[in-house]
């Protein structure tokens, strides 16, 4: 059974760095073909893909946000970490982690999401 | 990068009716790389359709996907009360390797 769960601060101040952790089970990121992504959704708005990390440590980022994002993994802990620098109120959103299916093209399992509010 | 435009923004229908949701891409998308998700309030999205027309595990056969090139459609043949939700299309771009979502279609009870 595949599960993912996001954790991190609910509130961050403008200009701070956000660090989110995705803890998963039911698969291993050391297995060939496994990939995990982060996706966010501002309140009442659409989904926005942020970053992806692969089993071989390849990393891919949203074109518009890549200068602010870093994704990493700890295979031994079954965790993926996303950091986003220089947070702004427009970054207020629910942040989801999701497993990418073997095709590499779709998100087949999602975490429940964690709401991050950026406010002073 | 490819932009996905969904229409209509909101669709008001009654249970038992047929729903047709559109997703148009700014340039041609491989059918293999087009998916649809359903999202209910307070929940994470759920994968419905992948490869433009293949249903994900456990998805009822009243959901179907079709299309190619720049025009894709999600059809719900007979709406059940639990189908009223927001629907997103999503595409994968291989160069650069990015994922793009449409802005969503809200399917509401009329």
């Amino acid at each position: 059974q595949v599960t993912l769960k996001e954790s991190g601060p609910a509130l961050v101040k403008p200009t701070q760095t956000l660090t989110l952790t995705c803890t998963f089970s039911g698969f291993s990121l050391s297995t060939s073909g496994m990939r995990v992504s982060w996706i966010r959704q501002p309140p009442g708005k659409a989904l926005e893909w942020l970053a992806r990390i692969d089993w071989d440590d390849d990393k891919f980022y949203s074109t518009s946000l890549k200068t602010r994002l870093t994704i990493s993994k700890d295979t031994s802990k079954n965790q993926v970490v996303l950091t986003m620098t220089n947070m702004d109120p427009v970054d207020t959103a629910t942040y989801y982690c999701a497993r990418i299916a073997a095709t590499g093209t779709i998100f087949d399992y999602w975490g429940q999401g964690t709401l991050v509010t950026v406010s002073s | 990068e490819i932009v996905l435009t969904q229409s209509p923004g909101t669709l008001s229908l009654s249970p038992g009716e047929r729903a047709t949701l559109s997703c148009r891409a700014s340039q041609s998308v491989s059918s293999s790389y087009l998916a649809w998700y359903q999202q209910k309030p307070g929940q994470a999205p759920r994968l419905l359709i992948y490869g433009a027309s293949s249903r994900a595990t456990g998805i009822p056969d009243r959901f179907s996907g079709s299309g190619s090139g720049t025009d894709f459609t999600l059809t719900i043949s007979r709406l059940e009360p639990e189908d009223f939700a927001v629907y997103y299309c999503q595409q994968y771009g291989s160069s650069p390797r990015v994922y793009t979502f449409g802005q969503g279609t809200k399917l509401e009870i009329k």
Side-chain angles (χ1 to χ4, degrees):
Chain A
Q1 180 191 3
V2 174
T3 64
L4 304 98
K5 187 172 184 179
E6 306 85 353
S7 59
L11 179 66
V12 297
K13 290 180 168 43
T15 75
Q16 285 187 336
T17 294
L18 170 68
T19 299
L20 295 172
T21 301
C22 173
T23 304
F24 57 87
S25 63
F27 67 97
S28 172
L29 250 184
S30 61
T31 300
S32 178
M34 289 294 109
R35 307 169 178 93
V36 171
S37 264
W38 285 92
I39 297 144
R40 70 177 180 179
Q41 184 174 38
K45 295 188 176 181
L47 300 161
E48 178 183 23
W49 175 74
L50 300 176
R52 168 184 134 183
I53 190 163
D54 295 356
W55 77 99
D56 59 0
D57 214 35
D58 262 350
K59 301 165 186 175
F60 304 92
Y61 296 99
S62 160
T63 304
S64 60
L65 292 168
K66 62 183 177 181
T67 60
R68 300 174 53 206
L69 296 173
T70 302
I71 192 169
S72 62
K73 62 182 172 70
D74 186 331
T75 304
S76 65
K77 293 183 179 178
N78 280 351
Q79 290 180 334
V80 171
V81 175
L82 181 75
T83 62
M84 180 180 290
T85 61
N86 194 25
M87 293 293 284
D88 183 271
V90 300
D91 296 313
T92 293
T94 295
Y95 287 76
Y96 296 99
C97 64
R99 192 185 80 161
I100 295 174
T103 59
T105 63
I106 55 175
F107 309 101
D108 59 354
Y109 290 92
W110 296 65
Q112 64 192 23
T114 186
L115 176 61
V116 178
T117 301
V118 185
S119 175
S120 54
Chain B
E1 291 178 17
I2 294 175
V3 175
L4 299 178
T5 302
Q6 293 185 240
S7 62
T10 302
L11 184 58
S12 300
L13 293 170
S14 300
E17 290 192 295
R18 180 185 186 91
T20 303
L21 287 66
S22 173
C23 176
R24 178 162 290 178
S26 59
Q27 54 187 283
S28 187
V29 172
S30 167
S31 296
S32 300
Y33 295 167
L34 196 287
W36 291 89
Y37 299 82
Q38 176 194 66
Q39 187 178 34
K40 296 180 180 179
Q43 297 184 17
R46 177 175 71 144
L47 176 66
L48 292 177
I49 300 287
Y50 64 95
S53 60
S54 296
R55 277 187 299 277
T57 303
I59 302 303
D61 59 7
R62 64 180 181 273
F63 291 90
S64 64
S66 63
S68 63
T70 59
D71 290 298
F72 297 88
T73 300
L74 174 69
T75 301
I76 310 171
S77 59
R78 284 180 56 87
L79 285 166
E80 297 286 343
E82 62 267 27
D83 298 338
F84 292 91
V86 179
Y87 291 84
Y88 293 96
C89 58
Q90 173 252 315
Q91 73 91 25
Y92 168 72
S94 55
S95 182
R97 291 190 212 185
V98 296
Y99 300 80
T100 308
F101 291 91
Q103 84 278 19
T105 289
K106 182 179 181 181
L107 178 56
E108 64 177 24
I109 299 177
K110 186 175 182 179

